[in-house]
Amino acid sequence: MASVATHSRAARGGARTTVEHLFSRAGVALNGDRPWDVRVHDARFYERVLAGRSLGFGESYMDGWWECARIDACIARLLSCRLHEGLAWRPGAVWALLRAQLLNLQSRRRAFEVGERHYDLGNDLFEAMLDPRMVYSCAYWRDAADLDAAQEAKLDLVCRKLHLEPGMSLLDVGCGWGSLARFAAERYGVRVTGVTISREQAELAQARCAGLPVEILLQDYRDVDGRFDRIASIGMFEHVGRKNYGVYFATLRRALRPGGLALLHTIGRDRAGRFHGIDPWIEKYIFPNGQLPSMAEILSAVRPHFVVEDCQNIGPDYDRTLMAWHERFNAAWPTLSSRYDDRFRRMWSYYLQCCAACFRVRNTHVWQYVFACPEARGSYLGAR
């Protein structure tokens, strides 16, 4: 038994040396005193990080094995140095990536899973974290001083890019809690049909849009019926999956009237390739079956159906948005703690800060595309 214990201590010592070396390359010290340094509370942390990479790093934080005053700053440094490229692939991680490539994880049968596991967590959580309109996507901060103004600016930017006019019909694919539907109906006088795969979102959206020409449907995007003057899809394409991109854009094309415009607002990754766009920790704990598209994948899938009229990258604005959500989440925690446990608090805090870091170092982006039907005539002049 003594030899086994000695071997275990030696293995942990070797793992600690390796992790210390990797983190030091990013300017992150173990047990240092700077805001982005990692303070280790459990010696098993080192082997877990080497074995599980991002999954092990996130899970060990959830379990209380380490602390960091500024997780966003820590992860931004680690990502900037691409430390993951110095770690060996483990069988579990390889299988997770192969599974996403071989299987259609976003099929009709699985379509409602992300709604049940993420968006249905509790409206109290999202009401506390988000702005009063409950916009759960990147805000637009160019001329805004706070989250509420930045989200209003984003919604207005979408409406202006779509050239909305009174009396038009708008399809909102992935309508969330009805933020765009309500805004477009009130400010631009349009009729809106919104679809979502979250029961909690659908019920609250219906209540928030009561009295307006807005219909909210609990259904998969593939079941959309009817034709519309305009289509918007904000923060939903990340759940479509590359095996379904063709079906997705064919569905939008079928639903769009001749001469209409469609806007796609989506997070995207900076690299194409078979094994990019899936983080094991995010997939397991936050967005099951999610997959981030590359620009090349989007354009390839769009080409048979639409002309790309416009594309804007507002990705840096998501860093600020996520940190604003994190601040609001922390402020609301005393109220939320009666329903959510401390492990959830650590998970959610890690999620928001980790994602902020990804946008800060430009590993991920937010693209807003405007599409038109190929037979459309005239020049698109951008947001009005």
Side-chain angles (χ1 to χ4, degrees), residues 113-345:
E113 184 176 345
V114 68
E116 295 165 355
R117 288 178 52 188
H118 185 85
Y119 298 105
D120 290 347
L121 279 170
N123 287 334
D124 59 338
L125 168 66
F126 294 105
E127 284 177 322
M129 183 183 81
L130 304 177
D131 65 292
R133 291 182 176 83
M134 295 186 70
V135 185
Y136 195 23
S137 54
C138 180
Y140 188 51
W141 291 89
R142 187 177 68 176
D143 299 315
D146 57 46
L147 180 63
D148 189 14
Q151 289 293 15
E152 179 174 333
K154 190 273 294 298
L155 294 177
D156 195 58
L157 178 67
V158 168
C159 293
R160 289 186 292 113
K161 285 184 175 181
L162 284 172
H163 298 179
L164 292 183
E165 296 177 1
M168 283 184 172
S169 58
L170 170 67
L171 172 65
D172 185 359
V173 183
C175 64
W177 291 276
S179 56
L180 176 63
R182 181 174 177 176
F183 184 88
E186 289 180 333
R187 297 286 184 91
Y188 285 84
V190 300
R191 294 174 288 105
V192 187
T193 298
V195 298
T196 175
I197 43 75
S198 165
R199 188 173 301 278
E200 292 288 328
Q201 285 186 337
E203 291 178 357
L204 188 54
Q206 289 165 355
R208 292 169 70 91
C209 295
L212 294 170
V214 174
E215 180 183 28
I216 304 295
L217 303 174
L218 180 66
Q219 67 176 46
D220 183 64
Y221 70 91
R222 283 163 283 214
D223 297 323
V224 165
D225 190 25
R227 305 196 78 183
F228 304 85
D229 298 308
R230 300 289 189 265
I231 299 175
S233 182
I234 302 176
M236 176 269 177
F237 192 68
E238 301 88 337
H239 305 305
V240 171
R242 61 188 296 177
K243 291 184 180 295
N244 304 299
Y245 291 165
V247 172
Y248 174 86
F249 286 114
T251 301
L252 265 57
R253 179 66 184 89
R254 185 182 70 247
L256 188 64
R257 289 196 175 105
L261 296 171
L263 182 142
L264 174 68
H265 170 119
T266 183
I267 299 171
R269 68 186 193 273
D270 66 340
R271 292 186 177 188
R274 292 178 60 81
F275 299 127
H276 292 281
I278 308 162
D279 178 83
W281 188 87
I282 292 290
E283 201 279 337
K284 182 175 181 179
Y285 290 101
I286 307 299
F287 294 116
N289 309 324
Q291 195 169 33
L292 299 185
S294 70
M295 187 172 285
E297 289 169 344
I298 292 174
L299 295 178
S300 176
V302 163
R303 191 172 295 115
H305 307 287
F306 294 108
V307 172
V308 178
E309 297 283 12
D310 189 56
C311 180
Q312 180 182 6
N313 187 351
I314 62 170
D317 287 27
Y318 220 159
D319 176 10
R320 189 170 176 182
T321 304
L322 284 153
M323 294 308 294
W325 290 345
H326 184 253
E327 181 179 355
R328 290 174 60 85
F329 171 71
N330 282 340
W333 181 250
T335 301
L336 296 171
S337 61
S338 62
R339 183 160 181 257
Y340 305 90
D341 62 20
D342 193 63
R343 194 167 193 266
F344 179 90
R345 178 188 66 81

